[in-house]
Amino acid sequence: MRTGPAPTGRPGVDRLGFYALGGHVESPRDLLAEIRLAEELGLGNAFLSERLNVKEACSLSGAAGAVSERIDITTAATNINTRHPAITAAFASTMHRLTGGRFVLGIGRGLRPQIAAMGLKQTTTVQMEEFAHLMRRLWRGETVRDYDGPLGTFPALKLDPTFDEDIRLGTTAFGPATLALAGRAFDLVVLHTFFSDETTARVVQEVRDAAEQAGRDPAAVKIWSCYATVTDEIDEQTFVKKTVGRLATYLQVYGDLLVSTNRWDPALLEEFRRSEVVGELDGWADAVATPEQLERLRAVLPAEWLDCAATGSPERCADRVAAQFDLGVDGVIMHGATPSELVSVVEAYRAADRVLA
């Protein structure tokens, strides 16, 4: 009998990713160590969310590109209306050349309350699609004159007439309009956290169908599951914050959309909203809830909703992450965990792909 590695069909570790500087952070310098460790682990993609405090996307992208050699760097996401489109196009072309083609410009709608507080208009699906077309024109070296359309009015937009850059565009998708948009116009799409397996398989098909209807190769759109991955190696209080606190926050921010997308019972969402503990919160649950409040939140959240995540031992988490690929996704973001917290999961993921032969 011979022993040795034999593939079992499980995709490689390079099909796994993580969110850098997840959650509320104080020091953006932590990003540097996270990116270096992620590359050592062999992860394929580092995703950067944007918070307008110490997590501004352009700065973080440049830093991530400077300390890495192999891993893809994806903004997921930045907004199209907080910067002039020519500035965003130049940001992406700079990152593209800085990283040797490892950068993905990922955009999203943004949080409605934050956009409104800045005095900006809410981003529409039409604007996002137009933005994708405009970026590609500028990256091909075109000069766009007398633009008057969904994105505004611009006398002349250009980067460099010698450009012929192939820069990937990504988006985050939740509802049916954005999922269809992703299939029509983008190269990469990040799904939302706490999708059930049935929902993930269904929305993957929606993206593929939209791509095919637009005359594109459905396989050309890379779909990433954003899958909460929290091992039992961390302390219980942090575990509850990363699971209960995070799901409760999503329900606070856009509960109707999450529940309708998952085809969950809306009556259970109303029970959650009416609960005494939710009424006590003076902010988002994952930021302000006390340990006692988090335990009470766990009691008012349906267990099957919380189960839309990889939790438990590293081996169990690795198996659940691997199972996401059976739903049709191209990659899995192990959400809610730093690379240091994912070391054991990645080791277990690799170990499960080696069998006696």
Side-chain angles (χ1 to χ4, degrees):
M1 178 180 291
R2 176 178 59 85
T3 61
T8 62
R10 175 171 292 190
V13 173
D14 62 337
R15 300 268 293 277
L16 305 180
F18 78 106
Y19 261 101
L21 297 180
H24 305 271
V25 299
E26 294 184 2
S27 175
R29 285 193 63 83
D30 293 344
L31 172 78
L32 309 182
E34 289 186 6
I35 295 294
R36 291 183 179 115
L37 178 55
E39 280 211 322
E40 290 179 18
L41 292 173
L43 301 183
N45 208 320
F47 293 83
L48 303 174
S49 62
E50 183 167 46
R51 295 194 186 195
L52 298 181
N53 42 39
V54 296
K55 289 173 62 174
E56 190 273 335
C58 298
S59 303
L60 295 181
S61 297
V67 298
S68 61
E69 296 292 337
R70 183 196 54 78
I71 196 168
D72 280 357
I73 299 160
T74 302
T75 57
T78 188
N79 300 325
I80 68 172
N81 56 351
T82 50
R83 300 177 185 87
H84 190 283
I87 302 297
T88 303
F91 156 51
S93 59
T94 303
M95 280 299 304
H96 177 69
R97 293 196 174 187
L98 174 70
T99 61
R102 292 183 288 115
F103 180 69
V104 183
L105 176 63
I107 65 168
R109 296 183 187 276
L111 295 178
R112 287 185 174 274
Q114 185 182 57
I115 295 298
M118 289 191 288
L120 299 173
K121 293 182 179 180
Q122 302 296 327
T123 300
T124 67
T125 302
V126 169
Q127 288 173 323
M128 292 174 68
E129 189 158 9
E130 179 76 358
F131 180 85
H133 295 318
L134 179 61
M135 291 298 105
R136 292 194 169 104
R137 292 180 66 185
L138 294 175
W139 295 332
R140 288 196 301 266
E142 292 187 34
T143 296
V144 180
R145 298 189 184 279
D146 300 320
Y147 177 91
D148 187 6
L151 300 175
T153 302
F154 309 112
L157 298 173
K158 67 176 181 178
L159 297 180
D160 187 318
T162 69
F163 274 7
D164 187 15
E165 310 299 299
D166 183 14
I167 302 173
R168 288 169 291 170
L169 274 165
T171 189
T172 54
F174 207 142
T178 317
L179 290 163
L181 170 65
R184 289 195 307 270
F186 289 83
D187 306 299
L188 178 149
V189 57
V190 175
L191 305 180
H192 201 275
T193 323
F194 288 101
F195 273 5
S196 69
D197 286 357
E198 183 277 331
T199 297
T200 298
R202 172 166 42 84
V203 300
V204 164
Q205 193 58 50
E206 289 179 25
V207 173
R208 305 281 189 221
D209 289 346
E212 186 171 22
Q213 290 163 12
R216 306 179 69 199
D217 177 4
V221 185
K222 301 307 178 185
I223 304 174
W224 283 76
S225 165
C226 191
Y227 196 50
T229 305
V230 189
T231 74
D232 57 12
E233 295 177 324
I234 62 177
D235 65 90
E236 178 66 14
Q237 183 174 327
T238 304
F239 181 91
V240 176
K241 184 176 181 178
K242 286 175 177 282
T243 53
V244 172
R246 183 54 59 90
L247 176 56
T249 297
Y250 292 150
L251 294 175
Q252 287 176 289
V253 178
Y254 32 65
D256 292 305
L257 181 56
L258 183 59
V259 167
S260 64
T261 301
N262 273 314
R263 298 178 180 175
W264 289 337
D265 185 353
L268 296 177
L269 174 62
E270 291 308 311
E271 289 182 17
F272 167 83
R273 287 170 166 165
R274 290 195 304 267
S275 67
E276 182 179 358
V277 62
V278 171
E280 294 172 359
L281 299 176
D282 59 359
W284 305 134
D286 64 348
V288 304
T290 65
E292 185 269 340
Q293 287 173 323
L294 286 170
E295 286 301 327
R296 290 163 60 201
L297 283 168
R298 175 150 55 180
V300 298
L301 286 172
E304 62 269 27
W305 295 8
L306 280 169
D307 193 45
C308 298
T311 59
S313 69
E315 291 75 19
R316 183 176 188 272
C317 287
D319 287 344
R320 296 203 65 169
V321 165
Q324 287 288 290
F325 289 101
D326 296 334
L327 307 176
V329 301
D330 300 289
V332 181
I333 304 169
M334 297 176 288
H335 188 246
T338 65
S340 61
E341 292 170 337
L342 291 170
V343 169
S344 59
V345 178
V346 173
E347 290 176 347
Y349 187 93
R350 279 200 173 98
D353 201 34
R354 300 180 183 278
V355 296
L356 291 178

